[in-house]
Amino acid sequence: MSPEKQALTSTSSAHTPVSEGRSSNALAAALTRALGARKVLSNLSERLNYRYDAIQFGVTPLCVLLPESTADVVAVMRAARAAGVPVVGRGAASGLSGGAAPMVEAVVISFTRMTRLEIRPERREALAQPGVITLKVSEDARPHGLVYPPDPASFRTSTIGGNLGENAGGPMCFKYGVTGDYVKALEFVDADGDVHQLTRDAYDLAGLLIGSEGTLGLITDATLRLSTPAKYTRTLMAHFPEVGQAAEAVSSAIAAGAVPSKLEFMDQACTNAIEDYLHLGLPREAGAVLLVDTDGDDLHTVEEERALVEQACLAAGGQVRRAATDAEAAALWQARRSVSPALGRIRPQRMNEDIVVPRSALPEVVREIRALGDASGLTLVQFGHIGDGNLHPNILFNPRTESAEAVHTLAHEIALVAIRHGGVLSGEHGIGTMKRDFMRDAVDPVTLGALRDVKRALDPTGALNPGKILPDDVAGGLHAHP
Amino acid sequence: MNNDIPAHVPGGQGEVMAHAVDACVHCGFCLPACPTYALLGDEMDSPRGRIILMKEVLEGGLPLMDAAPHLDRCLGCMGCVTACPSGVPYGELITAFRGWSEPRRTRTPFDRAKRYAILKALPAPKLFSVAARVGQYAKPLAPLLPNALRSPLDLLPEHVPAMQPSPAITPAKGPQRGRVAFLVGCAQQALAPNFNAATLRVLARNGIEVVVPDGQGCCGAAALHTGARDEALTLVRANLNAFDPDDFDAILSNAAGCGAGLKEYPMVLHGEPDEARARAFAAKVMDISEYLNGLLQDGALEPMVPASRPLKVAYHDACHLAHAQGVKAAPRALLRAIPGVTVLEVPEGDLCCGSAGTYNLEQPELATQLGQRKAKHILSTTPDLIASGNIGCHTQIQSHVRRQHSGVPVMHTVEVLDLAYRGEL
Ligand SMILES: Cc1cc2nc3c(=O)[nH]c(=O)nc-3n(C[C@H](O)[C@H](O)[C@H](O)COP(=O)(O)OP(=O)(O)OC[C@H]3O[C@@H](n4cnc5c(N)ncnc54)[C@H](O)[C@@H]3O)c2cc1C
Ligand code: SF4
Ligand code: SF4
């Protein structure tokens, strides 16, 4: 519980002056004078709301800034630096690794009001400020016959800044790539408050900023590449008696030359959760379900690719259903989109893993994780963008009745399975604080040293999002997920 | 998320609130659905932020009056409930919280007087009608008044129509196919008596006998959602006594807010002796569009006269129909059943028009901004007609459409059907 929390009785509440929650912080006062009260939040009621993301609660910030321009960000950065206070960037706080939750008392810069978006159809690009909601880019591009392919499941909520911070991906990423693949240029403000304009040549400094979770600089503008949508899409669903068979089918379909635009998998626990919720008629007894889209501008190739996937599924022991119409395809995809709500109904809380393993190792990995889950006594489900080896094993738990330690232990074991099979800790959700402890298992000491050198070069005093990604230089205490 | 609420607020309402807070995984999926977040862009004025604020206040970590301004800005539109993947019962949380916090908070004398007036006038159609008339005469003074008084005046029609009491029984025309009870509503009777008249005509035309049971009153939703729990309970019990669900095929409402209120009775009486009665009652409650769509789907809806020319109808989803009751397809299907009518979808259609409950009176600035935004989006579809299923949305949209110098008529869905039956569309 934060030290600012105070006892409150029902009789005293009515008389508590509003000013009691106001931070007496000099930095907040100076920033209010410089930028105006609209952009600076310093009441406790306001600050309490900028200490969490979708996975974790952190330390209540000293004050919160809602910039409307790059110049505002520069002003905050300079003031914070002068006051020796760290800075944490924040988008929609839908992150699943603790990235936007401050680990020490800090200034939080929330980008939700920097939402300028310009589509330049002739250059097939979009100019987006960091607070633009991901879906909005595609919506605004559509009338020009263009799309923005990166499609995290959170795209209705998450911001471009947060997507860049985490290098977000989604179902389309096997064929079309992740956020970073669509960045042409970036503007960022460094820890000193200096503004930099980056393109993708020479040292790919933009590439370094992408996925750095706000630890190297704050992105204030992005030029994003748009593309044209595929003319044809074909969909199929396959189900398998056992979870490893689904993974085998994926490996062999891709080996045979299929490049599906979406390739998603759900295990039995997942499909049953969805059935309980929506009664879509999914095969409850199946160990795993695959959902596959192939797309392109040449119908023949698109259907040929679907046939390749179909053969691989049958050969691995699966049963296949083709979607005959768009409506049928949409119905099949409804199942995948419902994973989150369906799981939310089983247990109030979940730990969402985000590992990526080589496709050849998939069958082994999903079987090992299944076994770990069964042995742990916790509820574990698996789904993910299996086409590029991205798996989301989710541990569902009730914090009132199940131990947080057991959850953490299982999560760590799962991470180790991924590493043992040549995989990585994060496909799209980032390291944040949730997987920081596992970094030593995943990265050798020399490389870890190089990462620290990079961090020091751009942020010598460690002012940007302290306590994230890199283990060791922990400042401040970690608050348990409340 | 973890919380200690039951320890601080023992009893049924504490449990209701703890359950809702527990279920929230703070993913933020509700943010884009929230009208105040769309306007203000800050977390305290978002559903996720409000859940945190309520949790902190209930646990004793934050003074109530620090959280109050943000909680007061919530429209209760339930857009967040539709958007939430985890099924967080936000509506139950905020309703229970408002009931719990009302006696514990401070209000200025002006606010107290305003609340008192609203709570007294809304459920009393006659009183409301008088107030509306007074308001109508006060309209020329509007520019002199503070905004808090000016906005509600803006919403009043130029001419406040005479009250038209509904007959106790409206017989079916032709062979009788059904029998329903009808809740006549309160403010609506004063502001738009034709909604009820059209409803009775359309039902009768379809062979449905309509009974307006004696002793019915306000649904109680306005009282409940502003924290006046005791007043609400009195109104709820009166209606439970007035309507015997066994006597009717359905209990119908043509005001989205009232229909949603009636469907909430089991939650209001949770853990009380009347809970079972409330369940039986709520099981029969339907919006007029749900009921008529049932006929349509069974092939039993009387055919309507084709519109005199191709007609583009922009349909506005009332929050309490779409989000609170989950009724989206039925009114569209009914409008499409009129030969010659095309139904248009409004951009940002899921966002509240800003008139939820008493919002125009409590938060006039935000209500105005939302109203302008809604009218702009609706007019961008260049409709011939605007249809909606709620009196609050109706007055709000009408007022803002006029302010944007458009003469497009705004009607209740059932009024459109009524015109089609009469061959006047
Ligand atoms: C139900 C659910 C489903 C999800 N599905 C997916 C998915 O399919 N794929 C996926 O990749 N992710 C997914 N996510 C995770 C999350 O939505 C993404 O990580 C997203 O990119 C975060 O965006 P945000 O705007 O919410 O950022 P935040 O959570 O606010 O921030 C994320 C990180 O970026 C940093 N940051 C924010 N803005 C800036 C900036 N302007 N400059 C520099 N750094 C910044 C923050 O400091 C933080 O470290 C999901 C989350 C949820 C809750
Ligand atoms: S969408 Fe639901 S679970 Fe997510 S923050 Fe909003 S209320 Fe909580
Ligand atoms: S009910 Fe409406 S206004 Fe209130 S928090 Fe939910 S979406 Fe926002």
Side-chain angles (χ1 to χ4, degrees):
Chain A
M1 200 181 267
S2 111
E4 284 150 312
K5 286 197 175 180
Q6 48 209 249
L8 166 89
T9 63
S10 55
T11 44
S12 72
S13 66
H15 306 288
T16 309
V18 176
S19 61
E20 251 190 45
R22 198 167 281 280
S23 157
S24 54
N25 186 283
L27 178 59
L31 283 167
T32 308
R33 274 195 303 279
L35 300 176
R38 204 184 113 77
K39 296 178 191 167
V40 187
L41 306 177
S42 53
N43 287 338
L44 178 60
S45 56
E46 298 163 336
R47 292 181 290 125
L48 277 174
N49 267 307
Y50 288 85
R51 69 191 153 135
Y52 52 79
D53 70 356
I55 199 86
Q56 193 173 35
F57 273 63
V59 177
T60 303
L62 275 177
C63 65
V64 179
L65 267 294
L66 295 162
E68 287 165 16
S69 66
T70 302
D72 289 348
V73 179
V74 168
V76 182
M77 218 60 132
R78 296 231 160 104
R81 186 180 142 81
V85 177
V87 174
V88 179
R90 190 185 199 264
S94 71
L96 287 170
S97 56
M103 302 314 289
V104 297
E105 280 205 324
V107 173
V108 166
I109 302 188
S110 170
F111 287 99
T112 48
R113 286 184 191 160
M114 279 178 72
T115 54
R116 206 187 56 240
L117 173 65
E118 187 192 323
I119 306 289
R120 297 176 165 172
E122 69 293 351
R123 307 182 62 162
R124 289 199 177 183
E125 63 186 34
L127 233 70
Q129 281 189 318
V132 170
I133 289 174
T134 314
L135 174 63
K136 183 95 167 84
V137 182
S138 271
E139 275 183 347
D140 283 19
R142 195 180 307 129
H144 304 285
L146 297 168
V147 287
Y148 176 65
D151 61 343
S154 52
F155 71 156
R156 284 176 197 284
T157 300
S158 66
T159 65
I160 291 296
N163 288 175
L164 290 163
E166 303 287 6
N167 199 8
M172 306 266 271
C173 62
F174 172 55
K175 182 167 180 179
Y176 292 104
V178 293
T179 305
D181 297 316
Y182 289 83
V183 175
K184 288 174 139 183
L186 287 183
E187 177 189 87
F188 85 99
V189 177
D190 69 14
D192 288 337
D194 292 333
V195 182
H196 303 259
Q197 314 278 351
L198 308 173
T199 48
R200 303 304 297 265
D201 36 25
Y203 295 124
D204 186 8
L205 199 49
L208 201 53
L209 261 286
I210 298 161
S212 69
E213 306 180 29
T215 62
L216 301 179
L218 292 181
I219 296 163
T220 46
D221 228 325
T223 310
L224 306 170
R225 193 160 61 80
L226 302 173
S227 61
T228 47
K231 277 209 193 86
Y232 304 99
T233 303
R234 289 293 176 263
T235 300
L236 76 78
M237 180 193 265
H239 60 95
F240 302 83
E242 188 257 335
V243 65
Q245 291 172 311
E248 277 161 14
V250 169
S251 299
S252 55
I254 292 170
V259 188
S261 56
K262 294 184 188 168
L263 219 171
E264 296 287 306
F265 124 102
M266 298 176 284
D267 74 357
Q268 186 169 22
C270 245
T271 42
N272 276 296
I274 298 167
E275 266 312 283
D276 290 344
Y277 174 37
L278 292 175
H279 314 290
L280 298 173
L282 300 172
R284 278 185 181 273
E285 64 300 336
V289 169
L290 279 183
L291 259 170
V292 187
D293 268 7
T294 56
D295 76 0
D297 293 341
D298 172 40
L299 185 57
H300 181 68
T301 318
V302 176
E303 294 199 321
E304 220 170 54
E305 278 196 62
R306 177 164 71 169
L308 280 180
V309 178
E310 189 171 339
Q311 282 153 22
C313 291
L314 293 172
Q319 291 186 42
V320 174
R321 206 173 116 197
R322 290 172 166 219
T325 61
D326 285 355
E328 213 179 302
L332 293 180
W333 278 104
Q334 194 197 349
R336 173 63 181 90
R337 275 198 310 276
S338 313
V339 168
S340 265
L343 297 181
R345 299 162 72 93
I346 297 180
R347 288 279 197 289
Q349 236 150 80
R350 60 184 169 124
M351 165 95 191
N352 191 337
E353 276 280 2
D354 169 40
I355 54 174
V356 182
V357 298
R359 265 188 305 273
S360 56
L362 276 171
E364 274 296 281
V365 169
V366 291
R367 283 177 187 135
E368 278 182 41
I369 293 176
R370 184 67 264 155
L372 282 174
D374 291 344
S376 72
L378 292 160
T379 307
L380 177 116
V381 305
Q382 301 191 70
F383 58 94
H385 323 309
I386 198 167
D388 42 353
N390 188 330
L391 295 176
H392 293 313
N394 271 232
I395 309 164
L396 311 179
F397 63 104
N398 183 341
R400 288 182 195 270
T401 53
E402 284 159 317
S403 117
E405 242 140 66
V407 172
H408 189 81
T409 307
L410 178 56
H412 195 172
E413 283 170 348
I414 292 171
L416 292 176
V417 172
I419 292 164
R420 213 164 42 241
H421 287 278
V424 299
L425 293 177
S426 167
E428 49 185 23
H429 296 169
I431 305 293
T433 55
M434 299 311 284
K435 279 164 279 181
R436 202 178 61 128
D437 290 352
F438 312 156
M439 278 291 272
R440 279 200 202 82
D441 302 320
V443 184
D444 65 84
V446 181
T447 308
L448 210 49
L451 295 184
R452 291 214 172 88
D453 289 344
V454 168
K455 166 81 171 161
R456 262 193 296 275
L458 279 158
D459 178 22
T461 61
L464 288 167
N465 211 356
K468 306 296 162 67
I469 304 182
L470 297 173
D472 246 353
D473 48 351
V474 199
L478 175 104
H479 285 235
H481 188 302
Chain B
M1 75 190 92
N2 279 359
N3 66 79
D4 302 328
I5 294 169
H8 293 257
V9 188
Q13 297 296 298
E15 257 169 55
V16 168
M17 293 189 278
H19 166 69
V21 171
D22 244 354
C24 174
V25 297
H26 39 96
C27 64
F29 274 33
C30 50
L31 303 193
C34 179
T36 56
Y37 183 74
L39 292 182
L40 302 167
D42 62 46
E43 189 80 31
M44 313 76 70
D45 296 298
S46 81
R48 177 173 61 178
R50 293 188 174 110
I51 293 172
I52 305 267
L53 289 175
M54 287 187 263
K55 162 186 141 75
E56 295 288 342
V57 171
L58 290 166
E59 288 179 342
L62 185 73
L64 171 61
M65 290 314 290
D66 281 9
H70 306 296
L71 300 176
D72 288 350
R73 277 181 212 137
C74 170
L75 293 125
C77 65
M78 302 302 127
C80 51
V81 174
T82 304
C84 172
S86 309
V88 172
Y90 174 88
E92 297 183 9
L93 173 63
I94 187 106
T95 302
F97 186 89
R98 283 182 171 161
W100 173 85
S101 61
E102 193 52 42
R104 292 172 169 80
R105 63 181 292 167
T106 47
R107 288 190 184 274
T108 64
F110 177 73
D111 273 353
R112 260 203 313 272
K114 195 168 74 178
R115 265 177 70 78
Y116 181 81
I118 296 169
L119 283 173
K120 284 286 170 252
L122 265 186
K126 295 216 179 71
L127 189 57
F128 190 89
S129 180
V130 172
R133 262 161 231 284
V134 173
Q136 188 189 349
Y137 293 115
K139 264 193 143 180
L141 303 175
L144 307 173
L145 296 173
N147 199 2
L149 290 178
R150 200 166 60 217
S151 320
L153 284 183
D154 279 355
L155 291 175
L156 288 177
E158 289 303 322
H159 166 72
V160 178
M163 294 249 307
Q164 289 177 20
S166 302
I169 293 184
T170 307
K173 271 198 180 166
Q176 184 174 329
R177 280 186 286 169
R179 183 167 192 260
V180 299
F182 180 48
L183 181 98
V184 291
C186 356
Q188 171 174 303
Q189 284 188 77
L191 289 177
N194 191 47
F195 287 13
N196 285 358
T199 301
L200 297 177
R201 282 193 294 267
V202 169
L203 285 169
R205 172 74 204 236
N206 277 287
I208 312 296
E209 180 183 66
V210 190
V211 180
V212 176
D214 209 24
Q216 64 168 290
C218 169
C219 64
L224 190 68
H225 294 150
T226 46
R229 192 174 152 79
D230 290 345
E231 278 96 327
L233 282 175
T234 311
L235 297 167
V236 168
R237 296 217 165 91
N239 280 333
L240 284 184
N241 290 333
F243 291 84
D244 185 348
D246 292 339
D247 285 353
F248 305 103
D249 303 334
I251 298 169
L252 298 188
S253 159
N254 63 4
C258 306
L262 299 178
K263 287 178 179 175
E264 267 186 329
Y265 282 8
M267 188 272 285
V268 183
L269 291 172
H270 177 61
E272 313 224 0
D274 282 335
E275 185 174 347
R277 271 178 83 203
R279 273 187 204 293
F281 173 90
K284 283 271 166 85
V285 175
M286 281 178 130
D287 182 70
I288 178 72
S289 67
E290 275 181 291
Y291 186 79
L292 292 173
N293 187 45
L295 296 180
L296 175 67
Q297 300 308 322
D298 293 345
L301 193 79
E302 291 293 323
M304 289 169 276
V305 182
S308 55
R309 61 189 168 107
L311 211 62
K312 294 187 292 173
V313 179
Y315 178 73
H316 162 75
D317 277 304
C319 294
H320 282 89
L321 209 46
H323 300 307
Q325 302 187 55
V327 177
K328 292 188 80 166
R332 290 175 168 81
L334 288 169
L335 290 168
R336 268 194 222 105
I338 307 172
V341 163
T342 327
V343 177
L344 305 172
E345 291 301 321
V346 176
E348 241 182 57
D350 280 336
L351 219 58
C352 181
C353 67
S355 83
T358 52
Y359 208 72
N360 265 305
L361 307 167
E362 313 251 10
Q363 300 284 341
E365 272 90 13
L366 292 175
T368 301
Q369 283 181 47
L370 288 170
Q372 278 169 356
R373 191 165 166 148
K374 181 58 76 182
K376 195 183 103 217
H377 280 306
I378 292 178
L379 292 175
S380 77
T381 67
T382 60
D384 301 314
L385 191 79
I386 301 163
S388 161
N390 195 38
I391 177 72
C393 310
H394 182 91
T395 44
Q396 171 86 338
I397 290 170
Q398 194 157 48
S399 146
H400 285 282
V401 161
R402 298 288 170 272
R403 278 201 231 178
Q404 289 177 29
H405 310 293
S406 159
V408 181
V410 186
M411 288 182 196
H412 191 291
T413 310
V414 83
E415 286 185 303
V416 185
L417 301 181
D418 183 39
L419 285 180
Y421 276 119
R422 287 142 53 122
E424 290 170 21
L425 197 63

